[in-house]
């Protein structure tokens, strides 16, 4: 698993002050992926963490506050409540976008993180086939 991890990381976007970040993730594995824990910097727990489950046509939104009015149009969900379905490989989604064949059924996942200080790096712990990675 370490040589060919199923979790696929794509889009990474920060706010200007680097206190909020979104990390687009996909799944190139043969089973579902479940995010178990998200930490930032030196294994610090972020102030808030959610996952956006969106479709490729709508995309993601980057916010400093999940309660803002703009967030209502997007699906911010507790990470514990979401599994990243198999065959949600980011390159497959991009290929469909290029070909014009992407639909609302092509779900994308974005881990949204808000922290009190600047976010320098993000650590994701996840499980695949019951194994923690």
């Amino acid at each position: 698993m370490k040589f060919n991890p199923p979790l696929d990381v794509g889009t990474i976007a920060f706010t200007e002050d680097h206190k909020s970040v979104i990390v687009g993730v996909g799944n190139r594995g043969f089973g579902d992926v479940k995010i178990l824990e998200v930490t930032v910097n030196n294994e610090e727990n972020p102030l808030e963490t959610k996952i956006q489950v969106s479709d490729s046509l709508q995309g993601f939104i980057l916010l400093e506050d999940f309660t803002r009015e703009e967030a209502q149009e997007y699906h911010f969900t507790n990470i514990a409540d979401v599994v990243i379905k198999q065959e949600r490989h980011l390159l497959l989604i991009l290929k469909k976008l290029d070909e014009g064949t992407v639909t609302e059924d092509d779900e994308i996942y974005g881990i949204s993180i808000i922290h009190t200080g600047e976010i320098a790096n993000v650590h994701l712990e996840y499980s695949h086939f019951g194994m923690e990675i």
Side-chain angles (χ1 to χ4, degrees):
M1 289 290 195
K2 298 257 181 192
F3 294 109
N4 193 16
L7 190 68
D8 197 15
V9 176
T11 304
I12 299 174
F14 289 90
T15 54
E16 189 173 327
D17 62 5
H18 286 242
K19 292 182 179 181
S20 179
V21 62
I22 184 163
V23 179
V25 294
N27 178 0
R28 59 180 168 223
F30 297 108
D32 294 342
V33 167
K34 179 118 176 101
I35 303 295
L36 302 175
E37 183 177 29
V38 177
T39 57
V40 297
N41 303 333
N42 295 315
E43 304 297 321
E44 300 165 29
N45 291 321
L47 181 65
E48 284 189 84
T49 305
K50 299 278 187 187
I51 190 165
Q52 292 182 56
V53 181
S54 187
D55 65 72
S56 299
L57 299 173
Q58 183 181 23
F60 302 125
I61 189 169
L62 177 62
L63 298 170
E64 298 93 5
D65 180 358
F66 298 139
T67 62
R68 289 181 49 179
E69 188 175 327
E70 302 98 296
Q72 303 308 313
E73 296 177 33
Y74 294 81
H75 303 283
F76 287 95
T77 306
N78 292 325
I79 287 179
D81 298 335
V82 174
V83 294
I84 301 170
K85 298 174 187 169
Q86 65 183 17
E87 298 183 11
R88 296 294 187 228
H89 193 307
L90 297 174
L91 289 177
L92 294 175
I93 299 292
L94 289 174
K95 182 178 178 185
K96 284 181 150 186
L97 278 169
D98 288 344
E99 294 171 347
T101 59
V102 72
T103 68
E104 290 180 356
D105 293 332
D106 293 310
E107 286 182 329
I108 56 174
Y109 304 87
I111 299 173
S112 297
I113 304 161
I114 298 173
H115 193 49
T116 54
E118 184 176 311
I119 299 169
N121 51 53
V122 175
H123 307 275
L124 302 175
E125 183 178 321
Y126 61 96
S127 68
H128 183 252
F129 287 120
M131 296 186 304
E132 289 187 21
I133 303 172

